[in-house]
Amino acid sequence: MLAGEINALEAFFDWYYPWAVTGAIWTVMTQVSHVQEDCQRPPSGDERDDYFRWQIESALDYSVGSELVPKLTASLSLQSMHHVMPSVCGCHFSALYPEYRAICEAHGVRLNTRKDVSAAWRSCIARVFELSSPERTPAWALREPAADAAESGPLAAVEEHLPLIAYLATPGVVMLACTPLF
């Protein structure tokens, strides 16, 4: 490659793979926290121009009780806190969240949450289809995960995460499948 020998397919994948992988990660890390039906409603309360209310109500938090997910997402899983407290380090968000939730409840501020990243991604995809082609919305995007999925057996617990796993794994599978070609 240093001598300038590269075929067209290899060049394509040298460009495509980083773009696809970072695009998939960017979508899951950022868009799931805003492209949601409940994040795009008008603000609640009497004060329609309340900046902080709007910041909280136009964001979605997921995996709220997790200690690991905020570390993996640079605290973007707690998006509403990220918006209203940008100068507070995200490493403190998990500890502050119970008090933050209580303050929101006391002031009638709608706090949008999902159980985990899979539920957030699923409702994000449902919203995208709802806005563009409602008749083509995948059934899995509309289906709420069973509350007792863990009790239904290991396959049921994994099944609710399969669409997200497939989405994130696709660029890697395509790259591995095409590797013998160059």
Side-chain angles (χ1 to χ4, degrees):
M1 190 162 165
L2 292 176
E5 295 177 25
I6 186 167
N7 66 43
L9 186 61
E10 186 176 0
F12 171 76
F13 278 105
D14 283 348
W15 164 80
Y16 170 77
Y17 185 73
W19 176 77
V21 171
T22 57
I25 293 169
W26 179 84
T27 300
V28 172
M29 294 279 292
T30 62
Q31 300 307 291
V32 298
S33 297
H34 296 290
V35 183
Q36 303 280 346
E37 188 276 328
D38 41 358
C39 296
Q40 297 171 349
R41 290 187 218 151
S44 65
D46 297 332
E47 298 289 326
R48 295 276 187 216
D49 61 346
D50 183 336
Y51 173 80
F52 293 103
R53 177 182 299 272
W54 183 249
Q55 291 298 308
I56 295 168
E57 292 184 357
S58 66
L60 180 102
D61 301 332
Y62 57 87
S63 301
V64 171
S66 173
E67 289 292 325
L68 178 63
V69 174
K71 291 177 176 93
L72 294 175
T73 63
S75 298
L76 294 178
S77 59
L78 304 173
Q79 188 71 210
S80 66
M81 292 184 83
H82 163 76
H83 279 261
V84 297
M85 296 187 279
S87 61
V88 175
C89 180
C91 68
H92 302 295
F93 287 174
S94 291
L96 293 170
Y97 205 87
E99 185 177 357
Y100 173 73
R101 180 186 305 241
I103 292 168
C104 289
E105 287 174 7
H107 293 276
V109 176
R110 184 180 68 241
L111 199 54
N112 305 311
T113 60
R114 297 289 183 278
K115 180 181 99 171
D116 55 30
V117 67
S118 288
W121 187 75
R122 193 171 27 261
S123 59
C124 173
I125 295 300
R127 181 63 174 166
V128 168
F129 275 95
E130 178 188 339
L131 293 172
S132 60
S133 305
E135 69 283 354
R136 298 179 64 192
T137 304
W140 58 260
L142 299 173
R143 191 172 49 243
E144 287 293 323
D148 61 347
E151 297 172 11
S152 301
L155 290 179
V158 171
E159 182 184 355
E160 73 176 272
H161 303 290
L162 286 179
L164 178 62
I165 292 167
Y167 176 73
L168 290 173
T170 297
V173 170
V174 169
M175 184 68 169
L176 288 174
C178 293
T179 298
L181 302 175
F182 46 81

